[in-house]
Amino acid sequence: MNDKDIIILGIESSCDDTSAAILINGKIHSNIVAGQAVHKNFGGVVPELASRAHQQNIIPVVHQALSEAGIDKKDLSAVAFTRGPGLLGSLIVGTSFSKSFALGLGIPLVEVNHMQGHVLAHFIHNEENRYPAFPFICMTVSGGHTQLVLVKDYFEMEVIGQTIDDAAGEAFDKAAKIMGVPYPGGPLIDKYAKEGDRKKFKFPISNLPGYDYSFSGLKTSILYFLQKEMAKNPHFITENLNDICASYQSTIIQSLFKKLIKAAADYEVKEIAIAGGVSANSLLRSELQRIGQREGWNTFIPPFSYCTDNAGMIAIAGYHKYLKGEFALQNVVPDARMKI
Ligand code: KG4
Ligand code: ZN
């Protein structure tokens, strides 16, 4: 470590993960995430419980991030935090902590848009030194968002398509809830789908114009389908779980690629990246390879720990803002509906 090193403390608290990371000159030295088991019994995130858990977790998580990286707080160059979008009560915890920590240390404060953070996770230093070239399209798929973003530069992003109702992750989680699979259902549907036949059952793919998505019809269709089948055979779900998961998952992934392929062709972009928690999905990953090869794309998938909500992605976004000298003032407040 020397005086010229830029050391960023990243803070993320937009939903139900409290996270702190230390990034030195673009490289991650620690990235601690404290999840919140408290929501499991409710089948979704309970905002009030989330903000209480953030309050309990934030100081231990920051402490652990500093000690794992071997950094003293007086060595920090800046604090970068998620200003939005997200749950207001959750954002307030990270924002208030970051403001007071930066003020106490007399260092700059950098505000980060969570959705830009997901995209910029691709620029966290990696061993191969392989990063998407501008312009690229990033498909950000998480529990809260589904967006196709045209990324022209680090902070010049345009949302060209997005969901008009449920996010892709929600489509996974809500179907899981209907089937009695615990929250968050995405990873479990992925697991069961591996043993199932994806052609066994047919679910509808929405047909919106342009690059927008809709998943609420799909959710309703699986609900009615299961109600009808369960009326005939009360064991239908347990007897067919793998095939239902495989068919349902395949429909979501097909919907995602339908618009991504169209956008890539129309915008003549061949650099394609994915981000967000759903990019952990194994079918999404294998389809990205297969379709990418067919279409001649250069494809980019960050390591899993940078796909789901984490402070590393906030720190890298903060690092690039720091290089531009873009700092936040002490009167900054969270913005639950912050746009890219
Ligand atoms: O990005 P993330 O950690 O948090 C949000 O900002 O929402 O994404 C969480 C979402 C959840 O909906 C979860 O079910 C989904 O990502 N997810 C998956 C998989 N792993 C996580 N969905 C499908 N397949 C997976 N393997
Ligand atoms: Zn997220």
Side-chain angles (χ1 to χ4, degrees):
M1 203 171 57
N2 64 50
D3 284 353
K4 291 204 188 71
D5 284 336
I6 298 170
I7 308 177
I8 308 288
L9 167 67
I11 301 285
E12 156 64 28
S13 73
S14 65
C15 189
D16 61 341
D17 292 304
T18 320
S19 181
I22 296 293
L23 182 105
I24 307 181
N25 305 326
K27 193 163 176 252
I28 290 288
H29 285 245
S30 63
N31 193 11
I32 311 298
V33 182
Q36 301 182 354
V38 65
H39 308 290
K40 270 214 159 68
N41 299 334
F42 300 94
V45 177
V46 185
E48 178 61 23
L49 297 181
S51 47
R52 290 184 204 185
H54 282 305
Q55 280 206 303
Q56 287 180 335
N57 293 343
I58 190 109
I59 290 176
V61 160
V62 170
H63 184 74
Q64 199 181 336
L66 285 165
S67 67
E68 209 172 272
I71 292 293
D72 191 286
K73 58 184 185 302
K74 68 175 185 339
D75 300 325
L76 293 172
S77 313
V79 182
F81 70 98
T82 303
R83 183 178 171 209
L87 301 170
L88 189 63
S90 293
L91 291 166
I92 285 174
V93 179
T95 306
S96 314
F97 174 85
S98 304
K99 283 164 71 170
S100 29
F101 205 54
L103 184 67
L105 293 167
I107 56 174
L109 185 64
V110 184
E111 63 167 79
V112 173
N113 178 306
H114 178 87
M115 300 312 293
Q116 291 193 344
H118 272 301
V119 173
L120 296 175
H122 288 277
F123 295 99
I124 292 174
H125 283 196
N126 58 56
E127 303 238 307
E128 305 86 49
N129 255 324
R130 188 174 172 270
Y131 309 97
F134 300 116
F136 66 94
I137 291 177
C138 185
M139 181 166 75
T140 310
V141 273
S142 73
H145 299 273
T146 299
Q147 291 187 334
L148 285 179
V149 186
L150 180 63
V151 188
K152 298 168 200 164
D153 205 341
Y154 290 110
F155 298 102
E156 209 185 312
M157 302 186 192
E158 186 189 338
V159 178
I160 55 175
Q162 59 192 322
T163 181
I164 59 160
D165 40 55
D166 291 346
E170 256 178 307
F172 275 102
D173 298 339
K174 287 183 176 173
K177 194 173 178 183
I178 295 170
M179 293 188 282
V181 170
Y183 176 84
L188 286 169
I189 291 189
D190 189 3
K191 185 175 151 206
Y192 300 138
K194 287 197 177 99
E195 311 294 325
D197 173 4
R198 67 173 93 151
K199 298 220 164 73
K200 183 80 178 276
F201 304 112
K202 238 186 146 34
F203 297 108
I205 293 186
S206 83
N207 215 356
L208 290 179
Y211 313 108
D212 283 344
Y213 293 102
S214 167
F215 290 106
S216 68
L218 177 62
K219 181 188 63 193
T220 313
S221 94
I222 192 169
L223 175 68
Y224 290 161
F225 168 72
L226 292 175
Q227 281 175 346
K228 197 177 90 208
E229 295 298 332
M230 291 290 276
K232 291 187 268 176
N233 168 14
H235 304 294
F236 181 80
I237 293 178
T238 37
E239 285 169 9
N240 294 279
L241 188 61
N242 294 345
D243 293 339
I244 302 168
C245 289
S247 305
Y248 185 77
Q249 168 175 283
S250 161
T251 311
I252 296 178
I253 303 303
Q254 279 179 55
S255 312
L256 291 173
F257 277 103
K258 191 172 149 190
K259 297 301 169 91
L260 178 59
I261 294 168
K262 181 174 156 59
D266 293 354
Y267 284 89
E268 297 180 13
V269 170
K270 291 207 180 284
E271 300 277 301
I272 306 293
I274 58 173
V278 181
S279 48
N281 183 268
S282 54
L283 182 65
L284 178 61
R285 286 174 172 246
S286 60
E287 283 294 272
L288 185 67
Q289 297 302 338
R290 188 184 67 82
I291 296 170
Q293 261 173 17
R294 189 188 74 198
E295 303 285 321
W297 293 345
N298 288 322
T299 57
F300 299 86
I301 311 178
F304 181 58
S305 54
Y306 303 152
C307 282
T308 52
D309 286 352
N310 72 96
M313 69 187 201
I314 304 305
I316 189 76
Y319 172 66
H320 285 283
K321 277 202 171 172
Y322 182 94
L323 294 177
K324 286 162 59 123
E326 268 186 36
F327 303 125
L329 298 175
Q330 271 293 329
N331 63 2
V332 64
V333 288
D335 181 354
R337 298 187 164 270
M338 195 174 186
K339 298 270 177 290
I340 260 190

mmCIF file with all atom_site columns, all heavy atoms in Angstrom, residues 322-339:
data_model
loop_
_atom_site.group_PDB
_atom_site.id
_atom_site.type_symbol
_atom_site.label_atom_id
_atom_site.label_alt_id
_atom_site.label_comp_id
_atom_site.label_asym_id
_atom_site.label_entity_id
_atom_site.label_seq_id
_atom_site.pdbx_PDB_ins_code
_atom_site.Cartn_x
_atom_site.Cartn_y
_atom_site.Cartn_z
_atom_site.occupancy
_atom_site.B_iso_or_equiv
_atom_site.pdbx_formal_charge
_atom_site.auth_seq_id
_atom_site.auth_comp_id
_atom_site.auth_asym_id
_atom_site.auth_atom_id
_atom_site.pdbx_PDB_model_num
ATOM 1   N N   . TYR A 1 322 ? -14.980 8.461  -8.078  1.00 0.00 ? 322 TYR A N   1
ATOM 2   C CA  . TYR A 1 322 ? -13.878 9.100  -7.346  1.00 0.00 ? 322 TYR A CA  1
ATOM 3   C C   . TYR A 1 322 ? -12.838 9.625  -8.351  1.00 0.00 ? 322 TYR A C   1
ATOM 4   O O   . TYR A 1 322 ? -12.355 10.749 -8.222  1.00 0.00 ? 322 TYR A O   1
ATOM 5   C CB  . TYR A 1 322 ? -13.243 8.079  -6.400  1.00 0.00 ? 322 TYR A CB  1
ATOM 6   C CG  . TYR A 1 322 ? -12.123 8.635  -5.541  1.00 0.00 ? 322 TYR A CG  1
ATOM 7   C CD1 . TYR A 1 322 ? -12.375 9.107  -4.244  1.00 0.00 ? 322 TYR A CD1 1
ATOM 8   C CD2 . TYR A 1 322 ? -10.811 8.691  -6.012  1.00 0.00 ? 322 TYR A CD2 1
ATOM 9   C CE1 . TYR A 1 322 ? -11.353 9.616  -3.458  1.00 0.00 ? 322 TYR A CE1 1
ATOM 10  C CE2 . TYR A 1 322 ? -9.779  9.200  -5.228  1.00 0.00 ? 322 TYR A CE2 1
ATOM 11  C CZ  . TYR A 1 322 ? -10.059 9.654  -3.958  1.00 0.00 ? 322 TYR A CZ  1
ATOM 12  O OH  . TYR A 1 322 ? -9.058  10.168 -3.183  1.00 0.00 ? 322 TYR A OH  1
ATOM 13  N N   . LEU A 1 323 ? -12.538 8.810  -9.378  1.00 0.00 ? 323 LEU A N   1
ATOM 14  C CA  . LEU A 1 323 ? -11.557 9.225  -10.395 1.00 0.00 ? 323 LEU A CA  1
ATOM 15  C C   . LEU A 1 323 ? -12.022 10.477 -11.145 1.00 0.00 ? 323 LEU A C   1
ATOM 16  O O   . LEU A 1 323 ? -11.219 11.290 -11.579 1.00 0.00 ? 323 LEU A O   1
ATOM 17  C CB  . LEU A 1 323 ? -11.294 8.087  -11.400 1.00 0.00 ? 323 LEU A CB  1
ATOM 18  C CG  . LEU A 1 323 ? -10.610 6.826  -10.847 1.00 0.00 ? 323 LEU A CG  1
ATOM 19  C CD1 . LEU A 1 323 ? -10.476 5.775  -11.941 1.00 0.00 ? 323 LEU A CD1 1
ATOM 20  C CD2 . LEU A 1 323 ? -9.231  7.155  -10.259 1.00 0.00 ? 323 LEU A CD2 1
ATOM 21  N N   . LYS A 1 324 ? -13.351 10.607 -11.268 1.00 0.00 ? 324 LYS A N   1
ATOM 22  C CA  . LYS A 1 324 ? -13.917 11.787 -11.942 1.00 0.00 ? 324 LYS A CA  1
ATOM 23  C C   . LYS A 1 324 ? -14.102 12.963 -10.984 1.00 0.00 ? 324 LYS A C   1
ATOM 24  O O   . LYS A 1 324 ? -14.533 14.041 -11.400 1.00 0.00 ? 324 LYS A O   1
ATOM 25  C CB  . LYS A 1 324 ? -15.302 11.433 -12.527 1.00 0.00 ? 324 LYS A CB  1
ATOM 26  C CG  . LYS A 1 324 ? -15.238 10.558 -13.768 1.00 0.00 ? 324 LYS A CG  1
ATOM 27  C CD  . LYS A 1 324 ? -16.583 9.884  -14.046 1.00 0.00 ? 324 LYS A CD  1
ATOM 28  C CE  . LYS A 1 324 ? -17.697 10.881 -14.242 1.00 0.00 ? 324 LYS A CE  1
ATOM 29  N NZ  . LYS A 1 324 ? -18.398 10.784 -15.487 1.00 0.00 ? 324 LYS A NZ  1
ATOM 30  N N   . GLY A 1 325 ? -13.883 12.717 -9.688  1.00 0.00 ? 325 GLY A N   1
ATOM 31  C CA  . GLY A 1 325 ? -14.072 13.785 -8.692  1.00 0.00 ? 325 GLY A CA  1
ATOM 32  C C   . GLY A 1 325 ? -15.531 14.096 -8.418  1.00 0.00 ? 325 GLY A C   1
ATOM 33  O O   . GLY A 1 325 ? -15.888 15.210 -8.043  1.00 0.00 ? 325 GLY A O   1
ATOM 34  N N   . GLU A 1 326 ? -16.387 13.094 -8.618  1.00 0.00 ? 326 GLU A N   1
ATOM 35  C CA  . GLU A 1 326 ? -17.831 13.324 -8.390  1.00 0.00 ? 326 GLU A CA  1
ATOM 36  C C   . GLU A 1 326 ? -18.217 12.895 -6.983  1.00 0.00 ? 326 GLU A C   1
ATOM 37  O O   . GLU A 1 326 ? -18.412 11.702 -6.718  1.00 0.00 ? 326 GLU A O   1
ATOM 38  C CB  . GLU A 1 326 ? -18.642 12.491 -9.382  1.00 0.00 ? 326 GLU A CB  1
ATOM 39  C CG  . GLU A 1 326 ? -18.958 13.245 -10.632 1.00 0.00 ? 326 GLU A CG  1
ATOM 40  C CD  . GLU A 1 326 ? -19.892 12.467 -11.541 1.00 0.00 ? 326 GLU A CD  1
ATOM 41  O OE1 . GLU A 1 326 ? -20.794 11.758 -11.052 1.00 0.00 ? 326 GLU A OE1 1
ATOM 42  O OE2 . GLU A 1 326 ? -19.674 12.560 -12.754 1.00 0.00 ? 326 GLU A OE2 1
ATOM 43  N N   . PHE A 1 327 ? -18.323 13.844 -6.091  1.00 0.00 ? 327 PHE A N   1
ATOM 44  C CA  . PHE A 1 327 ? -18.605 13.529 -4.698  1.00 0.00 ? 327 PHE A CA  1
ATOM 45  C C   . PHE A 1 327 ? -19.996 13.996 -4.279  1.00 0.00 ? 327 PHE A C   1
ATOM 46  O O   . PHE A 1 327 ? -20.547 14.930 -4.859  1.00 0.00 ? 327 PHE A O   1
ATOM 47  C CB  . PHE A 1 327 ? -17.538 14.157 -3.795  1.00 0.00 ? 327 PHE A CB  1
ATOM 48  C CG  . PHE A 1 327 ? -16.142 13.711 -4.162  1.00 0.00 ? 327 PHE A CG  1
ATOM 49  C CD1 . PHE A 1 327 ? -15.144 14.637 -4.450  1.00 0.00 ? 327 PHE A CD1 1
ATOM 50  C CD2 . PHE A 1 327 ? -15.846 12.357 -4.251  1.00 0.00 ? 327 PHE A CD2 1
ATOM 51  C CE1 . PHE A 1 327 ? -13.870 14.208 -4.812  1.00 0.00 ? 327 PHE A CE1 1
ATOM 52  C CE2 . PHE A 1 327 ? -14.580 11.920 -4.612  1.00 0.00 ? 327 PHE A CE2 1
ATOM 53  C CZ  . PHE A 1 327 ? -13.590 12.855 -4.899  1.00 0.00 ? 327 PHE A CZ  1
ATOM 54  N N   . ALA A 1 328 ? -20.541 13.343 -3.257  1.00 0.00 ? 328 ALA A N   1
ATOM 55  C CA  . ALA A 1 328 ? -21.862 13.716 -2.741  1.00 0.00 ? 328 ALA A CA  1
ATOM 56  C C   . ALA A 1 328 ? -21.687 14.692 -1.583  1.00 0.00 ? 328 ALA A C   1
ATOM 57  O O   . ALA A 1 328 ? -20.653 14.695 -0.916  1.00 0.00 ? 328 ALA A O   1
ATOM 58  C CB  . ALA A 1 328 ? -22.599 12.466 -2.269  1.00 0.00 ? 328 ALA A CB  1
ATOM 59  N N   . LEU A 1 329 ? -22.725 15.490 -1.339  1.00 0.00 ? 329 LEU A N   1
ATOM 60  C CA  . LEU A 1 329 ? -22.686 16.426 -0.211  1.00 0.00 ? 329 LEU A CA  1
ATOM 61  C C   . LEU A 1 329 ? -23.275 15.750 1.026   1.00 0.00 ? 329 LEU A C   1
ATOM 62  O O   . LEU A 1 329 ? -23.970 14.728 0.919   1.00 0.00 ? 329 LEU A O   1
ATOM 63  C CB  . LEU A 1 329 ? -23.487 17.685 -0.543  1.00 0.00 ? 329 LEU A CB  1
ATOM 64  C CG  . LEU A 1 329 ? -22.972 18.498 -1.737  1.00 0.00 ? 329 LEU A CG  1
ATOM 65  C CD1 . LEU A 1 329 ? -23.904 19.652 -2.041  1.00 0.00 ? 329 LEU A CD1 1
ATOM 66  C CD2 . LEU A 1 329 ? -21.543 18.993 -1.468  1.00 0.00 ? 329 LEU A CD2 1
ATOM 67  N N   . GLN A 1 330 ? -23.041 16.341 2.193   1.00 0.00 ? 330 GLN A N   1
ATOM 68  C CA  . GLN A 1 330 ? -23.553 15.762 3.435   1.00 0.00 ? 330 GLN A CA  1
ATOM 69  C C   . GLN A 1 330 ? -25.083 15.832 3.526   1.00 0.00 ? 330 GLN A C   1
ATOM 70  O O   . GLN A 1 330 ? -25.677 15.148 4.342   1.00 0.00 ? 330 GLN A O   1
ATOM 71  C CB  . GLN A 1 330 ? -22.902 16.458 4.650   1.00 0.00 ? 330 GLN A CB  1
ATOM 72  C CG  . GLN A 1 330 ? -21.595 15.807 5.108   1.00 0.00 ? 330 GLN A CG  1
ATOM 73  C CD  . GLN A 1 330 ? -21.792 14.416 5.693   1.00 0.00 ? 330 GLN A CD  1
ATOM 74  O OE1 . GLN A 1 330 ? -22.819 14.107 6.286   1.00 0.00 ? 330 GLN A OE1 1
ATOM 75  N NE2 . GLN A 1 330 ? -20.802 13.543 5.525   1.00 0.00 ? 330 GLN A NE2 1
ATOM 76  N N   . ASN A 1 331 ? -25.717 16.651 2.684   1.00 0.00 ? 331 ASN A N   1
ATOM 77  C CA  . ASN A 1 331 ? -27.190 16.712 2.756   1.00 0.00 ? 331 ASN A CA  1
ATOM 78  C C   . ASN A 1 331 ? -27.861 15.694 1.819   1.00 0.00 ? 331 ASN A C   1
ATOM 79  O O   . ASN A 1 331 ? -29.061 15.726 1.607   1.00 0.00 ? 331 ASN A O   1
ATOM 80  C CB  . ASN A 1 331 ? -27.684 18.130 2.460   1.00 0.00 ? 331 ASN A CB  1
ATOM 81  C CG  . ASN A 1 331 ? -27.327 18.576 1.053   1.00 0.00 ? 331 ASN A CG  1
ATOM 82  O OD1 . ASN A 1 331 ? -26.729 17.806 0.283   1.00 0.00 ? 331 ASN A OD1 1
ATOM 83  N ND2 . ASN A 1 331 ? -27.681 19.803 0.702   1.00 0.00 ? 331 ASN A ND2 1
ATOM 84  N N   . VAL A 1 332 ? -27.078 14.753 1.282   1.00 0.00 ? 332 VAL A N   1
ATOM 85  C CA  . VAL A 1 332 ? -27.651 13.751 0.379   1.00 0.00 ? 332 VAL A CA  1
ATOM 86  C C   . VAL A 1 332 ? -28.632 12.848 1.143   1.00 0.00 ? 332 VAL A C   1
ATOM 87  O O   . VAL A 1 332 ? -28.394 12.521 2.308   1.00 0.00 ? 332 VAL A O   1
ATOM 88  C CB  . VAL A 1 332 ? -26.522 12.914 -0.292  1.00 0.00 ? 332 VAL A CB  1
ATOM 89  C CG1 . VAL A 1 332 ? -25.730 12.104 0.714   1.00 0.00 ? 332 VAL A CG1 1
ATOM 90  C CG2 . VAL A 1 332 ? -27.082 11.989 -1.371  1.00 0.00 ? 332 VAL A CG2 1
ATOM 91  N N   . VAL A 1 333 ? -29.749 12.502 0.485   1.00 0.00 ? 333 VAL A N   1
ATOM 92  C CA  . VAL A 1 333 ? -30.732 11.605 1.112   1.00 0.00 ? 333 VAL A CA  1
ATOM 93  C C   . VAL A 1 333 ? -30.995 10.417 0.178   1.00 0.00 ? 333 VAL A C   1
ATOM 94  O O   . VAL A 1 333 ? -30.797 10.531 -1.036  1.00 0.00 ? 333 VAL A O   1
ATOM 95  C CB  . VAL A 1 333 ? -32.072 12.329 1.430   1.00 0.00 ? 333 VAL A CB  1
ATOM 96  C CG1 . VAL A 1 333 ? -31.906 13.292 2.587   1.00 0.00 ? 333 VAL A CG1 1
ATOM 97  C CG2 . VAL A 1 333 ? -32.623 13.030 0.206   1.00 0.00 ? 333 VAL A CG2 1
ATOM 98  N N   . PRO A 1 334 ? -31.446 9.291  0.726   1.00 0.00 ? 334 PRO A N   1
ATOM 99  C CA  . PRO A 1 334 ? -31.719 8.137  -0.144  1.00 0.00 ? 334 PRO A CA  1
ATOM 100 C C   . PRO A 1 334 ? -32.820 8.450  -1.155  1.00 0.00 ? 334 PRO A C   1
ATOM 101 O O   . PRO A 1 334 ? -33.666 9.298  -0.899  1.00 0.00 ? 334 PRO A O   1
ATOM 102 C CB  . PRO A 1 334 ? -32.185 7.043  0.819   1.00 0.00 ? 334 PRO A CB  1
ATOM 103 C CG  . PRO A 1 334 ? -31.891 7.526  2.181   1.00 0.00 ? 334 PRO A CG  1
ATOM 104 C CD  . PRO A 1 334 ? -31.759 9.007  2.132   1.00 0.00 ? 334 PRO A CD  1
ATOM 105 N N   . ASP A 1 335 ? -32.783 7.729  -2.266  1.00 0.00 ? 335 ASP A N   1
ATOM 106 C CA  . ASP A 1 335 ? -33.803 7.905  -3.300  1.00 0.00 ? 335 ASP A CA  1
ATOM 107 C C   . ASP A 1 335 ? -34.301 6.507  -3.675  1.00 0.00 ? 335 ASP A C   1
ATOM 108 O O   . ASP A 1 335 ? -33.682 5.800  -4.455  1.00 0.00 ? 335 ASP A O   1
ATOM 109 C CB  . ASP A 1 335 ? -33.174 8.621  -4.507  1.00 0.00 ? 335 ASP A CB  1
ATOM 110 C CG  . ASP A 1 335 ? -34.176 8.855  -5.625  1.00 0.00 ? 335 ASP A CG  1
ATOM 111 O OD1 . ASP A 1 335 ? -35.327 8.360  -5.516  1.00 0.00 ? 335 ASP A OD1 1
ATOM 112 O OD2 . ASP A 1 335 ? -33.810 9.506  -6.613  1.00 0.00 ? 335 ASP A OD2 1
ATOM 113 N N   . ALA A 1 336 ? -35.449 6.128  -3.072  1.00 0.00 ? 336 ALA A N   1
ATOM 114 C CA  . ALA A 1 336 ? -35.956 4.761  -3.224  1.00 0.00 ? 336 ALA A CA  1
ATOM 115 C C   . ALA A 1 336 ? -36.271 4.422  -4.678  1.00 0.00 ? 336 ALA A C   1
ATOM 116 O O   . ALA A 1 336 ? -36.258 3.263  -5.078  1.00 0.00 ? 336 ALA A O   1
ATOM 117 C CB  . ALA A 1 336 ? -37.198 4.575  -2.360  1.00 0.00 ? 336 ALA A CB  1
ATOM 118 N N   . ARG A 1 337 ? -36.595 5.443  -5.482  1.00 0.00 ? 337 ARG A N   1
ATOM 119 C CA  . ARG A 1 337 ? -36.962 5.191  -6.887  1.00 0.00 ? 337 ARG A CA  1
ATOM 120 C C   . ARG A 1 337 ? -35.935 5.756  -7.869  1.00 0.00 ? 337 ARG A C   1
ATOM 121 O O   . ARG A 1 337 ? -36.273 6.125  -8.986  1.00 0.00 ? 337 ARG A O   1
ATOM 122 C CB  . ARG A 1 337 ? -38.349 5.800  -7.174  1.00 0.00 ? 337 ARG A CB  1
ATOM 123 C CG  . ARG A 1 337 ? -39.416 5.168  -6.334  1.00 0.00 ? 337 ARG A CG  1
ATOM 124 C CD  . ARG A 1 337 ? -40.802 5.640  -6.735  1.00 0.00 ? 337 ARG A CD  1
ATOM 125 N NE  . ARG A 1 337 ? -41.806 4.737  -6.184  1.00 0.00 ? 337 ARG A NE  1
ATOM 126 C CZ  . ARG A 1 337 ? -42.262 3.676  -6.815  1.00 0.00 ? 337 ARG A CZ  1
ATOM 127 N NH1 . ARG A 1 337 ? -41.817 3.362  -8.008  1.00 0.00 ? 337 ARG A NH1 1
ATOM 128 N NH2 . ARG A 1 337 ? -43.159 2.905  -6.248  1.00 0.00 ? 337 ARG A NH2 1
ATOM 129 N N   . MET A 1 338 ? -34.715 5.801  -7.415  1.00 0.00 ? 338 MET A N   1
ATOM 130 C CA  . MET A 1 338 ? -33.638 6.402  -8.225  1.00 0.00 ? 338 MET A CA  1
ATOM 131 C C   . MET A 1 338 ? -33.544 5.738  -9.608  1.00 0.00 ? 338 MET A C   1
ATOM 132 O O   . MET A 1 338 ? -33.574 4.525  -9.732  1.00 0.00 ? 338 MET A O   1
ATOM 133 C CB  . MET A 1 338 ? -32.314 6.188  -7.475  1.00 0.00 ? 338 MET A CB  1
ATOM 134 C CG  . MET A 1 338 ? -31.182 7.024  -7.966  1.00 0.00 ? 338 MET A CG  1
ATOM 135 S SD  . MET A 1 338 ? -29.781 6.742  -6.837  1.00 0.00 ? 338 MET A SD  1
ATOM 136 C CE  . MET A 1 338 ? -28.624 7.935  -7.484  1.00 0.00 ? 338 MET A CE  1
ATOM 137 N N   . LYS A 1 339 ? -33.453 6.570  -10.634 1.00 0.00 ? 339 LYS A N   1
ATOM 138 C CA  . LYS A 1 339 ? -33.352 6.075  -12.019 1.00 0.00 ? 339 LYS A CA  1
ATOM 139 C C   . LYS A 1 339 ? -31.880 5.963  -12.403 1.00 0.00 ? 339 LYS A C   1
ATOM 140 O O   . LYS A 1 339 ? -31.039 6.686  -11.891 1.00 0.00 ? 339 LYS A O   1
ATOM 141 C CB  . LYS A 1 339 ? -34.048 7.047  -12.976 1.00 0.00 ? 339 LYS A CB  1
ATOM 142 C CG  . LYS A 1 339 ? -35.549 7.198  -12.714 1.00 0.00 ? 339 LYS A CG  1
ATOM 143 C CD  . LYS A 1 339 ? -36.340 6.183  -13.521 1.00 0.00 ? 339 LYS A CD  1
ATOM 144 C CE  . LYS A 1 339 ? -37.828 6.233  -13.255 1.00 0.00 ? 339 LYS A CE  1
ATOM 145 N NZ  . LYS A 1 339 ? -38.266 5.760  -11.935 1.00 0.00 ? 339 LYS A NZ  1
#
